[in-house]
Amino acid sequence: MINTRWLQVKSARWIVAVGLLGCAIAQASTRVLDGFDDPSRWRLQASEGAQARLTRVSGADGGRALCIAADFGAHAGSVRLSAPLALDLPPDGRLQLSSRGQAAQAQLSLHIIDEAGRRHGAHHAGRGLSGRWQGLDWWLSEFSDASGSGLVLPARSQRLELRLASASGGQAQWCIDSLALHVRPVDQSPFTPLALADTATALQQRMVDGRADTLWVSSGVKQQTVSLDLGREREVGGLVVQWAAGLRADKYRVQASNDGRRWQQLRQVNAPAGTTDRLRLGPLTARYLRLDLEDGPNWRYGIVDLLPQHATFGRSTEAFLREVGKAWPAGVLPASISDGPVRWTVLGAEAAPAPVWFSEQGIIEPRPGQFTLTPQLQIDGSWHGAEQMQVQPVAQPAGAQSRWQHTQAQLTISASTGHDAQAQPWLRVRYRLANPDASSHRYALALALRPFQLHAAGRLGDLPGGAGWIEQVAVSDAAVAINGAPALLAAQRADAAFASHFDAGLDLNLLRAAQLPQARQASDGQGLASAVMLWRQELAAGQSREWEVWLPLSDPAMTSAVPTRFTAQAVPAEGWQLPGEQGRWLVDSWQAAVVRMRAERNGPWLRTDSRRSIGAGNRDSMHIASALMRADQADAVLPWLLARIATGSTRHCPLLAHWAQLAAQAQLAGAWSPAQRQALQPWVQDSLARYQPGGACAEPAASPAPDPASVSLQLAALLPEPALALGPAQGNGGEVVQADAGAGQVAAVAPVTGVLPAGPLATSTQVPLPPGEPVSLAQRQQLWEAALALHDDSLLPGWQQWQRGQSQGLLDARQAAEQVQAIAATVVQEQADHLRLLPGLPASAWQQGQLQVPGVLTRWGRLGLQGRREGSDWVLVFAPGLQAPPAGLVLDWPFAQPPAPALVDGLPQPWQSGRLHLRSVPVQLRIALPVP
């Protein structure tokens, strides 16, 4: 029941409030852009491997609405719904979309595309959807571009796109209705609320007088209400409650209303800590706020101040944390919230749904968008994070390290991925602590599972960065479960552990308290729960101790023990060696690039947020698959390739030809099993025979080979998993108006460069010297420098840096593919009928070091080379596995001085016009180097 004192407001206050309200109405406007009654103007598209359906259902206002139902299977994917939308974009406006659905693991994005094709947008977490219609606000002032940079919006948009994306697969549904543009200037005027209390009413205005030396103290009634009248409807982002010492409430509800009669519950606060509660409530529009006080440690309550906060306070979780974290010590908020720079690398395990992210500080994000694992070190009672240490990151092909250096401690954090005896993927993390000092010290290692991501907020990829999501957490001395699933297992039992929700305190703040919390479970509706495990150890001078934790990378059933058998992930592209210091740079970059492509290749489908060009899935996937094949990583391509062949379409001939070429290359590499080769061979022959330059498909032969649909039946037992099947739409039923089978948008691809014969390749000895100019010395240097240009020498190999508006290093799998192709081009170049050997190795590189190329896959098989100095000669040894192209192999003389005859398998062979023409693949080639 609302107290009648709400009506006892001074007339002067009403006059001012009405006047202000009139101004606000005069400046505000609302324009409905689309009611979604007509689905024909909207285009539905799904990424590779995903399936989607667009259904008409009953809308929020009794009309019609649209529902997007998506099935991503076990892999990352996205669904887009787009339509033309010419719209002026006021910077103080916001787009509002009525929404409902079920998308707890998905991300909702709204993008606008301007006349130049540039994309701007913002995100909402899909977990905010529910079974009832509600408004989702997208503030134009908070839109960013694809790099995460805030920017000045263009004056006008041309298209609008709604995007439903998942980083870890699963099903999702997003129903949409009533898209509107609201224009209302941000109201930053001070709040001047009136307070109303159930008891001690003579003191109630002390709650809003802004003075620290006055307070309201209730009578001895456990359940009572305290309310605020803001004078008019205001945009509110939150509320700060300052309690009197010893008189706080430890259980209460926060509600809001526009009319003082119908109330909406915003927060249930349980067991908060300290004397100040900072509550994120919005953003919302309300006139009245109410606290229903239910219980507390005393027989009465005392409030010093109730302070409503402007909309910016609660516009996002990241904005809220930045605001409340201003008074916290450095390092309590991670760089993903404070917008600090982050250097990071990736780790990956086959069958894991997504890569593991590892920062230079040893912070790990094992599951996209959920939590990070952050170490803290205590030395003789004083806590230290990476901010107080000298940090040395080390990227390794099969893992990564972060080394913390202190005068009294050395902590080495080592992470690697692999599989257990049941082929389930795991992340193994070791923490080795050593005492480098001359005296003993008392240490404690704490591992905090925190509700944050590694990357900063704002990107337009499928993972926006910033806050993560831990709604429920349970911790014991040996394990942590997050959101009901096992997240961490400890090989050594912890000496202490606790769980917390945000209102009770953030993990690292609680860790520094005089006494650790005792709670082992916590729930947080904001997704800001956390957990800490802690090990204590005293080490004498020179002593060390190691702890080990394991994190499951798939979705395992609850397990109570670490793996009894662990096989570390194989290191791809080992054994490479190029001459000189620059050659070592290129080898490091080669290995890091291959690791990145393998890690970000998510099952048969590429992880969607690794694409720098949104919507170019087929183009990027083909480029990455080609680079992996060139790097002799056929095993990483086969599941991807099988899935595309089995679900492909003959409508786009260049794609089919690319797939067929990769399948033929894999056959040359011996990657297909006999059953796979038998099923694929007729389809490969037919696809290559039908391809015509320009993209057209020739007519099928008189006895056509099976089309992909038929091939898919033969390959069913060979695929890593069955084809996806989209379940029925949830909610109101409804009629299906569009469906996308998940082939993805057909993007432009590079022209097919040649046709691979289906049968054994015959070696020709009659083809004359290939035409064309030799590779000049200047061209050699250019090829070498082009490969080096993709190596960012401001970062360690394999690491990249991200901060708001700035990206450096190896950004994604597509750029890793470009790096592999550029480095491979220094070793071998494929021409129409011959191979050029070592075209990018400059003369300076021939004079120093050794050369070792375990394998570069060409259309004529695998090129393996070893090169070494023997006195004044260079000796090249060819590994088996390469067949001679029709016009052979060509090596251009890399020096300015004239060459002496070479020895090919012991027989002299002259150079012709500075070129050595090898009509067959030798075992050994000996070249006399010129005298310097």
Side-chain angles (χ1 to χ4, degrees):
M1 181 68 66
I2 302 300
N3 196 301
T4 56
R5 279 194 292 272
W6 281 117
L7 304 178
Q8 299 171 5
V9 181
K10 294 181 180 180
S11 59
R13 174 66 182 268
W14 275 111
I15 295 173
V16 173
V18 171
L20 291 174
L21 182 60
C23 293
I25 293 174
Q27 296 175 4
S29 66
T30 299
R31 174 187 168 195
V32 176
L33 305 176
D34 198 313
F36 298 98
D37 294 315
D38 178 15
S40 62
R41 65 190 298 261
W42 292 90
R43 183 186 182 194
L44 180 70
Q45 295 170 284
S47 62
E48 299 94 339
Q51 296 190 7
R53 183 164 56 188
L54 189 65
T55 305
R56 296 188 70 185
V57 297
S58 298
D61 57 358
R64 304 293 281 171
L66 297 179
C67 277
I68 307 168
D71 190 336
F72 304 107
H75 309 285
S78 62
V79 174
R80 298 178 297 166
L81 187 66
S82 60
L85 182 67
L87 178 66
D88 292 329
L89 299 173
D92 55 356
R94 72 178 187 268
L95 295 168
Q96 187 175 75
L97 187 67
S98 293
S99 300
R100 66 169 176 83
Q102 297 178 352
Q105 304 302 318
Q107 192 75 32
L108 315 176
S109 303
L110 185 148
H111 299 174
I112 56 175
I113 298 93
D114 63 19
E115 296 176 348
R118 292 184 295 264
R119 184 180 296 268
H120 322 277
H123 298 282
H124 274 297
R127 65 182 69 89
L129 297 180
S130 67
R132 61 180 180 83
W133 290 102
Q134 57 188 341
L136 288 182
D137 288 331
W138 314 78
W139 296 82
L140 298 179
S141 60
E142 304 234 339
F143 274 28
S144 66
D145 62 9
S147 71
S149 302
L151 74 167
V152 177
L153 283 172
R156 191 169 177 81
S157 71
Q158 290 298 309
R159 294 186 64 81
L160 181 138
E161 180 179 291
L162 302 172
R163 188 179 180 98
L164 177 63
S166 172
S168 56
Q171 294 186 350
Q173 185 188 60
W174 185 12
C175 298
I176 50 179
D177 195 9
S178 186
L179 175 66
L181 174 65
H182 299 273
V183 180
R184 175 183 292 179
V186 177
D187 186 356
Q188 293 289 349
S189 61
F191 286 99
T192 56
L194 293 177
L196 178 68
D198 284 348
T199 65
T201 57
L203 307 176
Q204 61 191 14
Q205 291 308 116
R206 293 183 177 185
M207 289 185 284
V208 294
D209 62 6
R211 294 176 53 181
D213 59 346
T214 64
L215 69 154
W216 165 81
V217 178
S218 74
S219 64
V221 179
K222 279 289 186 179
Q223 296 186 355
Q224 55 184 291
T225 296
V226 173
S227 304
L228 296 180
D229 178 4
L230 305 182
R232 65 181 190 277
E233 288 188 12
R234 297 285 304 268
E235 290 178 343
V236 181
L239 184 67
V240 175
V241 187
Q242 295 179 349
W243 299 96
L247 297 178
R248 66 162 306 122
D250 57 16
K251 184 179 181 181
Y252 62 94
R253 291 179 297 152
V254 184
Q255 301 194 71
S257 173
N258 288 328
D259 58 10
R261 295 186 300 273
R262 295 182 296 270
W263 294 89
Q264 175 188 357
Q265 181 168 321
L266 306 175
R267 289 286 309 279
Q268 174 69 53
V269 182
N270 294 309
T275 58
T276 302
D277 294 346
R278 296 173 175 87
L279 309 175
R280 181 191 174 204
L281 303 179
L284 77 151
T285 300
R287 175 172 173 174
Y288 304 108
L289 297 176
R290 188 174 83 185
L291 273 62
D292 294 326
L293 310 179
E294 299 174 354
D295 201 0
N298 208 307
W299 55 276
R300 56 182 181 168
Y301 306 104
I303 296 178
V304 177
D305 268 316
L306 283 177
L307 306 174
Q309 303 296 305
H310 290 105
T312 53
F313 181 86
R315 190 162 289 178
S316 67
T317 302
E318 293 76 21
F320 167 70
L321 289 171
R322 279 193 290 268
E323 181 64 31
V324 301
K326 290 178 180 178
W328 293 345
V332 171
L333 283 181
S336 60
I337 302 299
S338 61
D339 285 341
V342 176
R343 286 166 63 175
W344 53 279
T345 189
V346 296
L347 306 172
E350 298 298 326
V356 175
W357 308 83
F358 184 99
S359 83
E360 66 174 340
Q361 298 178 335
I363 301 172
I364 298 170
E365 183 179 353
R367 300 180 185 179
Q370 191 174 103
F371 72 92
T372 49
L373 181 66
T374 301
Q376 296 282 290
L377 184 63
Q378 188 185 59
I379 306 173
D380 293 334
S382 178
W383 283 103
H384 301 264
E387 299 77 14
Q388 292 84 38
M389 298 283 189
Q390 292 182 351
V391 176
Q392 179 186 1
V394 180
Q396 303 165 326
Q401 279 190 354
S402 176
R403 299 171 183 170
W404 292 14
Q405 296 284 96
H406 189 274
T407 57
Q408 298 174 341
Q410 293 178 348
L411 179 65
T412 302
I413 306 163
S414 304
S416 60
T417 55
H419 297 83
D420 61 15
Q422 287 73 42
Q424 291 297 315
W426 287 82
L427 173 68
R428 180 186 192 183
V429 190
R430 296 176 175 179
Y431 299 86
R432 183 174 182 80
L433 177 63
N435 179 7
D437 201 14
S439 58
S440 64
H441 295 282
R442 292 176 294 105
Y443 301 97
L445 172 68
L447 299 182
L449 287 83
R450 318 193 70 200
F452 305 116
Q453 299 183 57
L454 201 59
H455 296 105
R459 297 181 303 159
L460 278 189
D462 291 339
L463 294 179
W469 186 263
I470 303 180
E471 187 171 4
Q472 296 179 335
V473 62
V475 60
S476 69
D477 294 340
V480 182
I482 287 180
N483 299 332
L488 181 146
L489 301 176
Q492 300 86 15
R493 299 186 72 86
D495 297 308
F498 66 86
S500 179
H501 55 88
F502 181 81
D503 292 329
L506 196 58
D507 44 16
L508 298 193
N509 283 333
L510 294 173
L511 191 64
R512 289 164 169 79
Q515 185 174 357
L516 296 181
Q518 299 300 309
R520 294 297 184 100
Q521 296 184 358
S523 298
D524 194 314
Q526 306 173 92
L528 294 176
S530 57
V532 173
M533 302 182 76
L534 185 145
W535 296 262
R536 299 185 179 97
Q537 184 74 43
E538 183 170 354
L539 295 177
Q543 283 188 328
S544 64
R545 174 72 190 274
E546 184 173 277
W547 296 274
E548 185 175 282
V549 297
W550 298 75
L551 293 88
L553 299 181
S554 59
D555 293 324
M558 183 65 71
T559 179
S560 59
V562 301
T564 56
R565 177 180 154 193
F566 177 74
T567 303
Q569 188 73 30
V571 180
E574 273 192 309
W576 266 71
Q577 189 172 355
L578 294 176
E581 182 179 0
Q582 290 184 332
R584 287 193 294 272
W585 291 355
L586 290 180
V587 169
D588 289 341
S589 298
W590 171 280
Q591 292 189 339
V594 172
V595 168
R596 180 166 304 283
M597 287 190 295
R598 290 186 68 105
E600 295 199 10
R601 181 196 54 80
N602 183 10
W605 292 282
L606 178 69
R607 175 174 165 168
T608 53
D609 75 316
S610 67
R611 298 174 187 152
R612 64 179 177 182
S613 175
I614 299 174
N618 276 321
R619 180 191 63 206
D620 287 354
S621 296
M622 288 302 310
H623 195 83
I624 292 162
S626 298
L628 282 170
M629 194 71 77
R630 176 61 58 90
D632 203 14
Q633 303 291 304
D635 65 304
V637 181
L638 297 190
W640 173 92
L641 188 58
L642 280 170
R644 275 156 176 76
I645 293 173
T647 60
S649 167
T650 55
R651 292 175 297 175
H652 199 255
C653 209
L655 287 179
L656 290 179
H658 274 289
W659 296 349
Q661 280 192 313
L662 289 177
Q665 284 184 351
Q667 179 177 335
L668 287 175
W672 296 116
S673 68
Q676 291 170 329
R677 186 165 57 250
Q678 181 179 3
L680 286 170
Q681 184 77 358
W683 179 84
V684 170
Q685 288 179 312
D686 180 69
S687 297
L688 292 177
R690 292 178 60 194
Y691 172 73
Q692 302 293 309
C697 279
E699 291 297 323
S703 300
D707 62 14
S710 301
V711 175
S712 68
L713 298 177
Q714 300 179 51
L715 294 178
L718 308 178
L719 286 169
E721 60 183 37
L724 301 176
L726 186 67
Q730 304 173 19
N732 298 3
E735 99 188 76
V736 176
V737 293
Q738 290 186 47
D740 192 300
Q745 181 181 14
V746 174
V749 294
V752 177
T753 55
V755 174
L756 286 166
L761 294 168
T763 301
S764 172
T765 59
Q766 306 301 318
V767 178
L769 185 68
E773 294 295 325
V775 177
S776 69
L777 301 184
Q779 289 171 328
R780 284 182 177 278
Q781 191 66 36
Q782 288 172 359
L783 280 171
W784 184 257
E785 291 178 356
L788 286 170
L790 291 174
H791 169 75
D792 186 346
D793 57 9
S794 68
L795 295 174
L796 296 175
W799 294 82
Q800 52 190 301
Q801 178 168 300
W802 193 96
Q803 66 185 87
R804 201 171 188 85
Q806 180 184 4
S807 298
Q808 291 180 312
L810 194 60
L811 292 181
D812 56 25
R814 171 61 187 260
Q815 285 182 320
E818 293 174 356
Q819 194 164 43
V820 162
Q821 296 282 18
I823 297 173
T826 68
V827 175
V828 63
Q829 282 186 343
E830 293 186 16
Q831 305 296 320
D833 57 358
H834 67 281
L835 289 177
R836 278 183 166 175
L837 298 177
L838 306 178
L841 211 62
S844 59
W846 286 80
Q847 298 286 3
Q848 53 186 321
Q850 292 186 333
L851 170 74
Q852 183 166 313
V853 180
V856 174
L857 195 60
T858 75
R859 72 184 70 177
W860 292 285
R862 181 182 292 106
L863 172 65
L865 280 177
Q866 284 188 342
R868 62 182 183 271
R869 281 288 297 268
E870 290 187 1
S872 61
D873 292 346
W874 241 89
V875 178
L876 284 173
V877 179
F878 290 78
L882 179 69
Q883 303 178 49
L889 292 79
V890 172
L891 176 64
D892 294 304
W893 180 244
F895 301 97
Q897 301 92 327
L903 291 178
V904 180
D905 290 336
L907 300 176
Q909 181 167 334
W911 299 77
Q912 303 176 26
S913 303
R915 311 182 82 183
L916 189 66
H917 185 200
L918 307 174
R919 291 178 171 82
S920 61
V921 180
V923 175
Q924 185 185 88
L925 173 63
R926 182 178 291 269
I927 302 170
L929 300 180
V931 178

